[in-house]
Amino acid sequence: TCSINYLILGFVIGICNGFAIPIAQLFGARDYSDLRRHVANAAWLCIAFSVVLTITTVTLTRPLLVLMQTPEDILDGAVIYIGWIFASIPFIFLYNMVASIMRALGDSKTPLYFLILTSALNIGLDLLFIVPFKMGILGAALATDISQAISGVVSFGFLCRKFEVLHMQKGELAFSKRACIRLMGIGVPMGLQCSITAIGSVIMQWAVNVLGSTAVAAVTAASKTMNLLTVPLESVGTAMATYSGQNLGAARMDRVRKGVTSALLIATVYSIASALILHFADVAVMSLFLCAPQANNLKSARLAQNSLQLLLRILTEITSASDSLKIPLQEREEQDTLLTESVSELVKNPFKLVLRLMDQRSTTPNSIKSLIKLHIFIRNLLYIMLSIIICKWKAGDGNRTHVSSLEGWCS
């Protein structure tokens, strides 16, 4: 369920962070009336998105999991868990939008405190529902829903009481087409950025599902490992999106440049450190989620991914704050014989290659690594194509900032 979960919830988190960027710009420019108007319209958009997403995802949970060829022995449990998680999408929107607004207004500590509260409450409810009440998977899902709901409601109450700048004046709660267009112009691309990445993971999960529940458990454990190590990088990206937005609003481009340099330095150092951890301690880390024999047999299933790819999220979130997208350095994978053959066959007949890999029913690491490398190659190809399209579009708009250098990199 990790891939499908991130497909939807990643969009929710991304769109909320995107909505916060115009708010941060207006806060930096000290235009408080327009700021409140944008906050109100962000709330209307979140309500609309939450209703549509909740109904759609809850309705399509089982068909989607069946389409992904989820093993029969875990299908019912997966439907129960992810279905209840999707049912709490309105509260996920509530918390993430409130947290994003707080960060846009310069308070990054309070969202952290509420996140700690949510995590502690979630763990407590997990233990309560699963151990004494014997509720199993349903208990774990309900614990997550309840903790999200409590955190969202409490954080919203805190936001209304603490930030007087958000106290609405007459007419500021009304729908504004201009504000909604601006919010969606930044929020939707950031949400789709997360979802597009997750689409590849969903396709890969579909491929892995045919290998059986053991392979599914291995990939799930590796995904959790990856998520554990990427949280700091995602936090740097989120912080830079807000930081850049505030300083752009205040016309302090010098601070934006310093912030970008500092963020890239932090991201580079952490990426190298996480790559070393994945290389030398992969079994130890994965053993947190799997028993030792399983970790030894399938330790390479997902850890072949280069952690430097995570710089992409940092750069795209930074540049989204200035309403301009620049794709960063190309992800590079080990060019071994397997990848070369896969690329060659992909160009000739992509469906034939995918079907051939689908037929590999073995749970050996090589078969899974083949799928991983194919997924990474296709994703990198899409990133490059997206870069070229954006370059041409920006050039057509008359915005030549960084376009020449970016077009050269794309070539």
Side-chain angles (χ1 to χ4, degrees):
T1 60
C2 288
S3 56
I4 187 175
N5 188 29
Y6 187 70
L7 174 65
I8 304 301
L9 300 190
F11 176 78
V12 173
I13 295 171
I15 200 170
C16 288
N17 288 334
F19 285 169
I21 291 174
I23 296 173
Q25 292 174 341
L26 293 168
F27 182 71
R30 299 181 184 276
D31 188 352
Y32 299 132
S33 177
D34 206 18
L35 181 150
R36 289 189 290 269
R37 188 172 293 107
H38 277 73
V39 169
N41 281 271
W44 297 128
L45 289 174
C46 284
I47 292 172
F49 274 113
S50 65
V51 171
V52 173
L53 282 177
T54 302
I55 295 174
T56 304
T57 54
V58 171
T59 303
L60 298 178
T61 295
R62 179 173 285 275
L64 185 56
L65 289 173
V66 171
L67 181 64
M68 292 174 61
Q69 301 187 49
T70 304
E72 289 292 337
D73 56 337
I74 61 174
L75 176 60
D76 290 337
V79 170
I80 292 173
Y81 181 79
I82 202 67
W84 278 97
I85 294 297
F86 287 158
S88 68
I89 284 178
F91 296 112
I92 297 173
F93 258 111
L94 177 61
Y95 169 76
N96 282 282
M97 194 65 248
V98 169
S100 298
I101 292 173
M102 287 184 184
R103 286 191 290 265
L105 300 183
D107 184 0
S108 62
K109 294 181 180 179
T110 303
L112 173 62
Y113 298 149
F114 283 116
L115 187 60
I116 294 173
L117 171 65
T118 303
S119 301
L121 187 59
N122 195 358
I123 293 172
L125 291 175
D126 275 335
L127 295 174
L128 177 64
F129 291 156
I130 294 175
V131 180
F133 293 168
K134 308 293 183 183
M135 296 177 65
I137 295 174
L138 177 60
L142 288 177
T144 302
D145 290 350
I146 294 172
S147 59
Q148 283 279 6
I150 293 176
S151 178
V153 172
V154 173
S155 60
F156 177 73
F158 180 85
L159 179 74
C160 295
R161 293 188 59 181
K162 179 180 178 180
F163 296 94
E164 294 184 1
V165 69
L166 295 179
H167 292 175
M168 298 291 170
Q169 306 297 322
K170 184 177 180 180
E172 292 174 344
L173 273 172
F175 174 81
S176 169
K177 181 179 179 181
R178 179 185 65 85
C180 286
I181 291 175
R182 184 179 181 186
L183 289 165
M184 293 186 66
I186 301 178
V188 172
M190 288 190 69
L192 291 177
Q193 171 193 325
C194 298
S195 294
I196 289 173
T197 303
I199 288 172
S201 299
V202 170
I203 296 173
M204 183 191 64
Q205 186 68 53
W206 166 65
V208 172
N209 283 343
V210 303
L211 302 176
S213 57
T214 301
V216 171
V219 173
T220 300
S223 297
K224 291 181 181 295
T225 303
M226 192 73 171
N227 292 337
L228 181 66
L229 292 174
T230 58
V231 167
L233 284 175
E234 292 176 350
S235 300
V236 173
T238 301
M240 276 307 303
T242 301
Y243 176 87
S244 300
Q246 290 174 341
N247 284 282
L248 281 169
R252 291 294 305 273
M253 289 302 298
D254 57 321
R255 288 176 58 84
V256 174
R257 296 188 190 95
K258 291 180 181 178
V260 170
T261 302
S262 300
L264 289 178
L265 179 61
I266 294 171
T268 302
V269 171
Y270 183 81
S271 295
I272 294 172
S274 61
L276 293 175
I277 292 173
L278 290 179
H279 182 73
F280 293 105
D282 49 359
V283 176
V285 175
M286 288 195 68
S287 294
L288 297 173
F289 308 101
L290 292 172
C291 62
Q294 289 176 316
N296 279 309
N297 290 334
L298 295 166
K299 64 181 182 180
S300 299
R302 284 290 303 279
L303 300 184
Q305 296 189 35
N306 190 332
S307 65
L308 290 178
Q309 65 174 293
L310 304 171
L311 288 172
L312 177 68
R313 295 181 184 178
I314 302 289
L315 286 174
T316 49
E317 290 187 0
I318 291 171
T319 53
S320 292
S322 60
D323 300 327
S324 175
L325 179 64
K326 299 186 288 292
I327 302 297
L329 296 176
Q330 180 182 2
E331 302 169 5
R332 298 186 182 274
E333 279 295 310
E334 179 183 1
Q335 299 299 313
D336 57 7
T337 305
L338 175 62
L339 184 56
T340 303
E341 293 175 354
S342 297
V343 171
S344 176
E345 192 168 349
L346 177 66
V347 173
K348 297 177 183 176
N349 193 337
F351 296 103
K352 180 180 177 182
L353 175 60
V354 173
L355 290 174
R356 180 171 66 83
L357 292 174
M358 295 308 100
D359 288 337
Q360 297 184 19
R361 303 286 175 155
S362 170
T363 57
T364 59
N366 286 336
S367 63
I368 303 176
K369 286 166 69 176
S370 301
L371 298 173
I372 303 305
K373 291 193 175 184
L374 175 62
H375 156 62
I376 293 172
F377 169 76
I378 295 174
R379 184 189 58 198
N380 292 347
L381 184 62
L382 289 174
Y383 282 152
I384 295 173
M385 292 172 62
L386 179 62
S387 301
I388 296 172
I389 292 171
I390 292 174
C391 287
K392 299 298 183 183
W393 174 63
K394 286 296 183 182
D397 260 359
N399 182 1
R400 296 297 305 177
T401 306
H402 302 295
V403 169
S404 297
S405 60
L406 186 55
E407 286 179 330
W409 172 82
C410 290
S411 300

